[in-house]
């Protein structure tokens, strides 16, 4: 009897690892079968309706304009070219939004912790107001209530060499001349030198404890070296200034109102959430750290930058990653005010003209998935880097 019991206990089905493997294999087979069935059903339905599949439509002429494009594009270009234009627009608005939202969030988070009553209350009003208004409504506000209410081009507001009207913000357009490569080379060399200065300063501080203003020195290095390169090459750059005419503005370059409205709404809305994340991270640092820094004679600015914020990053970075992901995905709301990003161009105009629903939706999902995973990978790398620095 005991031999049978022992044999039963030692059987493969009683092994937890074996059972888990069997269940996973069965689940994989079911998923593959269901996926094959759905794909076959889709192919059959598309064939019955005479709808072709594939991405060959990307080589066909698009026949529609894209008003905002950073690369050359005309209506005679292909759907593939239009996809690239929309992809660049999405990346640009996401990257600029992340940078501006981070700056706004850090400033407002610190402002809400300020000892100045007025500054702290203004920051509180900003944060609590913008966090509780839907992002799409804020885009409508900036586009229809603010930018659309600006004057016509011939009555543009003038600020130095900038013009502001309902068609956008016009600024001087830099035009490079022969010899500008020297300026680019000088700028790149100054960046490399600045990185070297920062690394040297950190190693020196670790070894001797002596602090060196590496960031200000690096900024000065970039400015001085770039200016010297401009001077040596004879300032090979000119500016095409915008000029008012009777019905339009000539010259310069323009930021269209659609771009401005999406950028402002995304950055201010996300910045209000980042401000609370920054405030929570700073409050998580023991107050004794600040008191110790003050007892050593450190100013409040240095205390925040060198002691409090590096320790608060371990709390700030994980939720900050989520806000960056939200901002990148929320850029798709720009389609509501005709900003030509991925959803508006690919899932809007391209889908309506070609009927390739599976392909266009798949392209958009692939782009947003890749963008989100790239942001997550970078932020996870930075989070691990900061954790190692703390230890």
């Amino acid at each position: 009897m005991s031999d049978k019991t022992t044999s039963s206990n030692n059987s493969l089905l009683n092994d937890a690892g074996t059972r888990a493997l069997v269940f996973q294999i069965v689940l994989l087979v079911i998923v593959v079968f269901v996926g094959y069935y759905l794909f076959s059903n889709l192919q059959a339905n598309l064939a019955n309706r005479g709808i072709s599949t594939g991405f060959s439509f990307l080589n066909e002429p698009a026949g529609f304009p894209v008003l905002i494009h950073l690369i050359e594009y005309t209506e005679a270009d292909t759907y593939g070219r239009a996809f690239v234009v929309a992809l660049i627009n999405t990346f640009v608005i996401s990257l600029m939004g992340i940078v501006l939202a981070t700056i706004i969030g850090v400033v407002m988070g610190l402002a809400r912790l300020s000892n100045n009553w007025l500054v702290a209350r203004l920051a509180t009003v900003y944060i609590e107001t913008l966090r509780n208004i839907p992002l799409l409504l804020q885009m409508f506000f900036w586009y229809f209530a603010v930018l659309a209410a600006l004057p016509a081009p011939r009555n543009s507001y003038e600020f130095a060499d900038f013009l502001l009207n309902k068609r956008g913000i016009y600024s001087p357009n830099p035009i490079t001349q022969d010899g500008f490569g020297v300026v680019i080379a000088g700028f790149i060399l100054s960046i490399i030198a600045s990185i070297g200065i920062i690394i040297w300063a950190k190693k020196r501080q670790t070894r001797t404890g002596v602090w060196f203003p590496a960031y200000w020195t690096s900024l000065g290095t970039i400015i001085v070296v770039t200016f010297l390169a401009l001077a040596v090459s004879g300032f090979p750059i000119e500016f095409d200034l915008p000029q008012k005419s009777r019905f339009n503005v000539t010259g310069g370059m323009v930021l269209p109102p659609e771009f401005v409205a999406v950028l402002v709404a995304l950055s201010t809305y996300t910045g209000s959430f980042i401000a609370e994340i920054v405030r929570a991270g700073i409050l998580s640092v023991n107050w004794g750290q600040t008191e110790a820094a003050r007892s050593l004679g450190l100013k409040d600015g240095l205390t925040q930058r060198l002691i409090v914020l590096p320790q608060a990053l371990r709390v700030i970075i994980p939720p900050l990653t989520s806000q960056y992901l939200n901002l990148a995905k929320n850029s798709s709301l720009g389609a509501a005010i005709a900003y030509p990003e991925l959803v508006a161009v690919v899932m809007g105009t391209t889908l309506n003209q070609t009927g390739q629903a599976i392909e266009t939706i798949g392209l958009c999902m692939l782009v947003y998935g890749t963008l989100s995973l790239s942001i997550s990978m970078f932020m996870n790398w930075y989070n691990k880097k900061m954790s190692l620095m703390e230890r």
Side-chain angles (χ1 to χ4, degrees), residues 68-90:
I68 303 174
H69 49 85
L70 298 179
I71 60 175
E72 290 295 329
Y73 175 82
T74 63
E75 297 183 21
D77 286 321
T78 62
Y79 287 111
R81 184 78 171 182
F83 168 75
V84 174
V85 170
L87 182 65
I88 294 175
N89 288 343
T90 297

Side-chain angles (χ1 to χ4, degrees), residues 70-141:
L70 298 179
I71 60 175
E72 290 295 329
Y73 175 82
T74 63
E75 297 183 21
D77 286 321
T78 62
Y79 287 111
R81 184 78 171 182
F83 168 75
V84 174
V85 170
L87 182 65
I88 294 175
N89 288 343
T90 297
F91 283 165
V92 168
I93 203 71
S94 299
L95 180 60
M96 294 185 65
I98 286 173
V99 173
L100 289 178
T102 303
I103 296 173
I104 293 172
V106 172
V107 171
M108 287 299 171
L110 293 174
R112 192 167 185 182
L113 293 172
S114 174
N115 294 325
N116 187 297
W117 183 89
L118 179 60
V119 172
R121 293 303 177 271
L122 289 176
T124 301
V125 170
Y126 163 81
I127 293 169
E128 296 302 330
T129 301
L130 268 69
R131 284 201 310 166
N132 292 287
I133 298 177
L135 175 58
L136 185 59
L137 184 58
Q138 294 188 39
M139 286 187 184
F140 286 155
F141 169 77

Side-chain angles (χ1 to χ4, degrees), residues 102 104-114 120-121 123-124 127-128 131 271-286 304 308-309 312-313 315-317 319-320:
T102 303
I104 293 172
V106 172
V107 171
M108 287 299 171
L110 293 174
R112 192 167 185 182
L113 293 172
S114 174
R121 293 303 177 271
T124 301
I127 293 169
E128 296 302 330
R131 284 201 310 166
S272 64
F273 287 92
I274 294 177
E276 285 295 270
I277 293 172
V278 171
R279 185 173 74 97
I282 292 175
L283 291 177
S284 69
V285 179
N286 193 298
Q304 290 288 342
V308 177
L309 285 179
L313 283 176
V315 177
I316 292 174
I317 292 176
L320 184 63

Side-chain angles (χ1 to χ4, degrees), residues 55-382:
F55 294 93
S56 59
F57 71 94
L58 292 175
N59 296 321
E60 299 174 2
F64 62 87
V66 179
L67 298 181
I68 303 174
H69 49 85
L70 298 179
I71 60 175
E72 290 295 329
Y73 175 82
T74 63
E75 297 183 21
D77 286 321
T78 62
Y79 287 111
R81 184 78 171 182
F83 168 75
V84 174
V85 170
L87 182 65
I88 294 175
N89 288 343
T90 297
F91 283 165
V92 168
I93 203 71
S94 299
L95 180 60
M96 294 185 65
I98 286 173
V99 173
L100 289 178
T102 303
I103 296 173
I104 293 172
V106 172
V107 171
M108 287 299 171
L110 293 174
R112 192 167 185 182
L113 293 172
S114 174
N115 294 325
N116 187 297
W117 183 89
L118 179 60
V119 172
R121 293 303 177 271
L122 289 176
T124 301
V125 170
Y126 163 81
I127 293 169
E128 296 302 330
T129 301
L130 268 69
R131 284 201 310 166
N132 292 287
I133 298 177
L135 175 58
L136 185 59
L137 184 58
Q138 294 188 39
M139 286 187 184
F140 286 155
F141 169 77
W142 287 108
Y143 186 67
F144 293 107
V146 176
L147 297 174
L150 292 174
R154 61 181 176 182
N155 298 320
S156 300
Y157 296 128
E158 297 186 43
F159 305 94
D161 292 324
F162 292 80
L163 299 178
L164 178 63
N165 56 58
K166 62 171 56 181
R167 294 186 182 178
I169 301 174
Y170 291 80
S171 64
N173 183 26
I175 301 175
T176 60
Q177 308 292 329
D178 293 338
F180 193 74
V182 177
V183 180
I184 296 177
F187 179 74
I188 294 175
L189 290 176
S190 66
I191 294 292
I192 296 173
S194 300
I195 295 174
I197 291 173
I198 293 173
I199 295 174
W200 168 81
K202 289 184 176 180
K203 290 182 178 180
R204 179 174 177 264
Q205 184 175 358
T206 302
R207 186 177 64 255
T208 64
V210 179
W211 177 76
F212 181 79
Y215 293 100
W216 288 110
T217 304
S218 299
L219 179 61
T221 301
I222 294 173
I223 295 174
V224 171
V225 173
T226 304
F227 180 80
L228 290 176
L230 280 169
V232 169
S233 57
F235 294 95
I237 186 171
E238 294 181 355
F239 290 93
D240 180 22
L241 302 180
Q243 301 290 335
K244 289 193 297 183
S245 61
R246 185 174 181 181
F247 298 107
N248 205 344
V249 175
T250 59
M253 63 179 182
V254 60
L255 292 178
E258 295 83 4
F259 176 85
V260 176
V262 174
L263 180 61
V264 172
L266 281 176
S267 57
T268 53
Y269 176 78
T270 308
S272 64
F273 287 92
I274 294 177
E276 285 295 270
I277 293 172
V278 171
R279 185 173 74 97
I282 292 175
L283 291 177
S284 69
V285 179
N286 193 298
W287 179 249
Q289 299 283 333
T290 303
E291 291 180 333
R294 288 177 177 175
S295 68
L296 294 174
L298 284 179
K299 297 181 179 179
D300 289 342
L302 289 177
T303 301
Q304 290 288 342
R305 186 166 63 86
L306 299 177
I307 297 176
V308 177
L309 285 179
Q311 297 183 74
L313 283 176
R314 75 183 192 277
V315 177
I316 292 174
I317 292 176
L320 184 63
T321 303
S322 298
Q323 293 304 318
Y324 287 169
L325 294 175
N326 289 337
L327 188 148
K329 291 179 287 188
N330 286 338
S331 65
S332 60
L333 294 176
I337 57 173
Y339 176 69
E341 44 73 56
L342 206 62
V343 172
V345 174
V346 179
M347 290 184 60
T349 310
T350 301
L351 173 58
N352 290 334
Q353 292 189 179
T354 63
Q356 305 291 145
I358 304 299
E359 291 80 358
T360 54
I361 294 174
L363 282 174
C364 288
M365 291 175 64
L366 178 63
V367 169
Y368 281 110
T370 303
L371 179 60
S372 298
L373 289 174
S374 300
I375 294 173
S376 296
M377 290 175 60
F378 174 78
M379 294 301 293
N380 289 336
W381 167 81
Y382 184 66

Side-chain angles (χ1 to χ4, degrees), residues 23-37:
F23 291 149
Q24 291 180 35
I25 293 175
V26 172
L27 180 61
L28 178 62
V29 171
I30 293 174
V31 170
V32 171
F33 175 76
V34 172
Y36 175 76
Y37 172 77

